[in-house]
Amino acid sequence: GAEEHVTGQPGGVTALLVKAADGVSQDALVARIADVTPDGVEVISGADLVEETNDEIDADFLGFVRTFLLVFAAVALLVATFSINNTFSIIAAQRQRSSALLRAIGADRRQVFWSLAGESIVVGAVASAIGLGLGFALAQGLKALFDAFGFALPAGGLEIRTATLVIAPLVGIIVTMLASLAPAVRASRVAPLAALRDVAVDRSASSRWRLVAGSVMLSVGVVAVVTGASNGDLARAGLGALLTAAGVVAVGPVVARPSGSVIGTPISRLRGIPGALARRNAMRSPRRMAATASALMIGIGVVTVFTTFAGSLKASVDDNVSAVIDGDLMIAASQFGGGGLSPGIVDAVDALPEVDHAVGVGTGPVSIDGRTRQVTVLDPAASAGLVVPDVIEGAAVADLRDEQLAVSEPVADDNGWSVGSVLDVRFTDGSTERLEVAAIYEPSSTVRDLVVPAPTWERHAVQSIETLVVIGAADGADIESVRTAVETATASFAPPDVMTTDEFVADATANINQILGLVYVMLLLAIVIALMGIANTLSLSIYERVRELGLLRAVGADRAQVRSMIRWESVVIAVFGTIGGVALGLFLGWGLVTAAGAGSFPINFAVPTVQIVIVAVVGGIAGVVAAVRPARRAAKLDIIDALATTG
């Protein structure tokens, strides 16, 4: 029965379930059973088993989901912070004369400061309450989104925790207040005499402190990313990425004016006076342009990093499979559940006249020096010409003998192993064998850290279960005919999919596409926040420029020209943010991919050109979309009322 095939020992079991007698607690029962069980047998209570199972789930799938959502939340908060800061900066500039009047009639700096800071607390509280409600609705939609992307969650209502109800609004209020601090401080420093004159001058582009601080952060960040990539230090590269992004944001106003001039030049030539005015409007307030574009830049940058990482991973899987697998067809087990292919499937395929030979590739755990490692199990002789890892030193994998093994180069380097090293390998049945390292090979996604010959593995395993079968067609055989024959021969083995190499790569990277699709949907929300920030900034800047717009209308500009000017100003800002985001994302993507690829799973940096171009085009279009409402509002201003405005 099952005990014979699973344990290999009739009368043996892998687990026992025990029910406590009335009045006996779980802990007491565990202690009593532990006293009578042999060493090496784990005794655990039901409650502890449930907790361990939940921890394993949390560390695997739910841990990934939680980390991803926290990263998204951080990106969204960062993008929103730029928009909030920009909004309050414009509000403070518009109220400059009012702040000066308050100072003139006796208000001190603290009172002026808290008038704006207090307003930010109220705004943050109201917005957080609304956001909390929208968050619950979004969570419900997110469950459906996971289902659509193949990660179905159990049915049931949402779990609403007290911590969520407290932490989420508190974070919203604190972020809003922190984003308003700098504008509030600037408002409190307005001199009373400013009530009698216009002193709104943006000198951010010439700020020596900003240039020095930003340059230092940018330089340190770039060095950390480069050295982290060179040394395979992902933590250093990640820290460098944060510093680089912060440095780019800090020097933004310094480079905004010349960048706006360059980006706006073709617009001014193609669109005439409205284009020239749009270019000048973007250039005259570097701080506003940089702060508005920074939100979009961070969003585009994160999308570019994820796109680059996914593109590099897919390209690497393709390269690794092509470099190691030289067969014509493959059969692979499901990527979920940890199961394998039906026993006997290799023999059934290998016996077909349309097949030259086939080899099964299995996997399993061993322990070396107290550390568990996953090994690849295959028949060396049968693998010849089908599974061919690139050997750096030693014998070919196909020439491995019993009581030998092959090791990937990163693992060999990390442990100081070389050809001829003898390792004590502990197998799942508890026995240990001394195996000699006979080859060191290039790592790949198909062949794991170590390769153990099938005869060696089978001495310690009840069954040899393959997760992959590589098939070599007979000379002159048509591939589709071979596929049909293999499908017929395996019909009784819970029929698996028979794939070509290209189809196998597409199947292996399908999950990457699913995860990337989910990432895009979530990060799209961050970009929407950035676009709302651009629209909000332009709307507020219209109020700031009411008299200017009225003068333009008075000297002959029509409504279409005013709308065009505002739209092209938005395009200049959006293109500035998009170019910066794509450049930043490509650089950080290179650093993170290169650092991550230094491990046992090699990832080679690759630029997904089509996707990056799409991201850049969407960023430019976003500028037009964000300017629709502000442009209409500017065009509808009454000329007489605008000229009568005093500031």
Side-chain angles (χ1 to χ4, degrees):
E3 65 182 19
E4 178 183 355
H5 294 286
V6 173
T7 67
Q9 300 175 354
V13 296
T14 56
L16 288 173
L17 301 179
V18 182
K19 180 177 176 59
D22 293 340
V24 179
S25 67
Q26 290 190 13
D27 292 339
L29 181 61
V30 167
R32 293 177 187 178
I33 295 175
D35 290 338
V36 297
T37 53
D39 293 339
V41 175
E42 181 184 20
V43 183
I44 186 171
S45 67
D48 289 341
L49 180 61
V50 170
E51 184 178 353
E52 283 189 5
T53 303
N54 288 336
D55 289 342
E56 289 176 1
I57 296 173
D58 185 69
D60 189 13
F61 177 71
L62 290 184
F64 161 76
V65 173
R66 181 179 289 108
T67 301
F68 165 68
L69 292 179
L70 285 175
V71 170
F72 162 73
V75 172
L77 277 176
L78 182 62
V79 171
T81 300
F82 286 118
S83 298
I84 295 169
N85 176 266
N86 210 25
T87 298
F88 277 102
S89 295
I90 295 176
I91 291 174
Q94 292 173 347
R95 296 179 184 173
Q96 186 169 248
R97 183 165 294 179
S98 299
S99 299
L101 284 172
L102 287 174
R103 294 293 312 280
I105 62 176
D108 58 22
R109 288 185 175 180
R110 180 180 300 177
Q111 290 172 313
V112 174
F113 171 84
W114 280 109
S115 67
L116 191 61
E119 181 179 348
S120 72
I121 295 175
V122 175
V123 170
V126 173
S128 296
I130 297 173
L132 195 63
L134 292 176
F136 292 140
L138 183 62
Q140 192 65 47
L142 191 58
K143 289 181 65 177
L145 187 65
F146 271 92
D147 191 17
F149 280 98
F151 303 105
L153 299 178
L158 295 176
E159 180 183 359
I160 301 176
R161 300 183 178 181
T162 304
T164 302
L165 298 175
V166 174
I167 295 176
L170 189 61
V171 169
I173 294 171
I174 292 175
V175 166
T176 304
M177 185 177 177
L178 291 177
S180 70
L181 286 182
V185 169
R186 286 197 297 271
S188 69
R189 292 177 177 174
V190 175
L193 287 177
L196 305 177
R197 55 188 173 87
D198 184 8
V199 295
V201 179
D202 185 356
R203 302 184 183 279
S204 57
S206 59
S207 172
R208 181 176 300 176
W209 178 89
R210 179 184 293 273
L211 179 60
V212 171
S215 298
V216 169
M217 282 193 295
L218 185 59
S219 300
V220 173
V222 169
V223 170
V225 170
V226 173
T227 56
S230 302
N231 300 327
D233 190 339
L234 187 58
R236 183 190 300 180
L239 178 60
L242 292 177
L243 289 175
T244 301
V248 168
V249 171
V251 301
V254 179
V255 300
R257 180 169 288 155
S259 298
S261 175
V262 173
I263 296 171
T265 296
I267 295 175
S268 64
R269 292 178 178 175
L270 293 174
R271 301 302 301 169
I273 297 300
L277 290 174
R279 173 174 173 268
R280 286 185 171 274
N281 285 336
M283 292 172 56
R284 72 177 180 177
S285 183
R287 176 181 293 162
R288 184 173 65 204
M289 176 181 173
T292 306
S294 293
L296 183 61
M297 181 192 70
I298 295 298
I300 294 291
V302 173
V303 171
T304 303
V305 168
F306 275 104
T307 301
T308 301
F309 203 95
S312 299
L313 188 58
K314 291 169 66 176
S316 298
V317 170
D318 192 357
D319 292 342
N320 289 333
V321 171
S322 301
V324 176
I325 302 297
D326 200 20
D328 299 299
L329 295 171
M330 287 184 284
I331 301 173
S334 171
Q335 299 182 42
F336 294 101
L341 297 169
S342 300
I345 198 170
V346 177
D347 293 336
V349 172
D350 197 46
L352 293 173
E354 294 88 352
V355 173
D356 182 71
H357 69 296
V359 62
V361 181
T363 184
V366 299
S367 177
I368 302 177
D369 296 333
R371 180 176 177 181
T372 300
R373 297 184 181 276
Q374 290 293 322
V375 301
T376 293
V377 181
L378 52 77
D379 182 342
S383 70
L386 296 180
V387 181
V388 285
D390 184 9
V391 173
I392 299 173
E393 182 182 359
V397 171
D399 296 330
L400 285 180
R401 301 192 308 273
D402 194 10
E403 299 182 349
Q404 289 184 331
L405 80 166
V407 183
S408 68
E409 184 183 30
V411 174
D413 291 343
D414 291 344
N415 293 275
W417 300 336
S418 59
V419 173
S421 297
V422 178
L423 311 179
D424 291 325
V425 181
R426 182 180 176 86
F427 292 87
T428 53
D429 63 351
S431 61
T432 300
E433 284 202 35
R434 294 176 62 81
L435 304 182
E436 178 188 0
V437 176
I440 296 176
Y441 57 88
E442 287 280 359
S444 73
S445 58
T446 307
V447 179
R448 295 179 180 262
D449 293 343
L450 299 95
V451 175
V452 173
T456 304
W457 177 263
E458 289 169 356
R459 286 198 295 270
H460 307 283
V462 178
Q463 291 181 341
S464 292
I465 299 178
E466 285 80 16
T467 57
L468 176 69
V469 177
V470 185
I471 305 167
D475 291 340
D478 177 69
I479 295 300
E480 289 305 316
S481 299
V482 177
R483 188 204 295 259
T484 302
V486 171
E487 289 174 343
T488 302
T490 58
S492 61
F493 295 97
D497 290 331
V498 182
M499 299 172 284
T500 64
T501 302
D502 292 340
E503 291 169 345
F504 175 76
V505 171
D507 183 68
T509 57
N511 291 331
I512 301 174
N513 292 331
Q514 289 181 339
I515 295 174
L516 188 60
L518 179 61
V519 168
Y520 282 157
V521 171
M522 297 300 293
L523 292 178
L524 179 63
L525 297 177
I527 295 178
V528 169
I529 294 172
L531 297 183
M532 291 171 62
I534 293 177
N536 192 42
T537 299
L538 289 173
S539 296
L540 290 172
S541 70
I542 288 170
Y543 286 113
E544 188 180 4
R545 294 181 283 174
V546 167
R547 173 175 282 191
E548 171 191 322
L549 294 172
L551 286 172
L552 283 176
R553 292 295 309 282
V555 298
D558 58 24
R559 290 184 175 181
Q561 290 175 316
V562 172
R563 283 197 301 268
S564 178
M565 178 187 73
I566 298 298
R567 282 199 300 266
W568 285 110
E569 180 182 349
S570 176
V571 169
V572 171
I573 295 173
V575 171
F576 174 62
T578 299
I579 292 176
V582 169
L584 179 65
L586 286 175
F587 173 68
L588 299 185
W590 167 82
L592 296 174
V593 166
T594 305
S600 58
F601 181 81
I603 305 176
N604 300 318
F605 177 69
V607 179
T609 307
V610 174
Q611 289 89 335
I612 295 299
V613 170
I614 292 174
V615 169
V617 171
V618 169
I621 295 174
V624 179
V625 175
V628 170
R629 184 170 60 89
R632 288 179 179 176
R633 181 172 296 176
K636 291 180 180 179
L637 288 175
D638 184 87
I639 299 177
I640 303 301
D641 291 340
L643 292 175
T645 301
T646 58

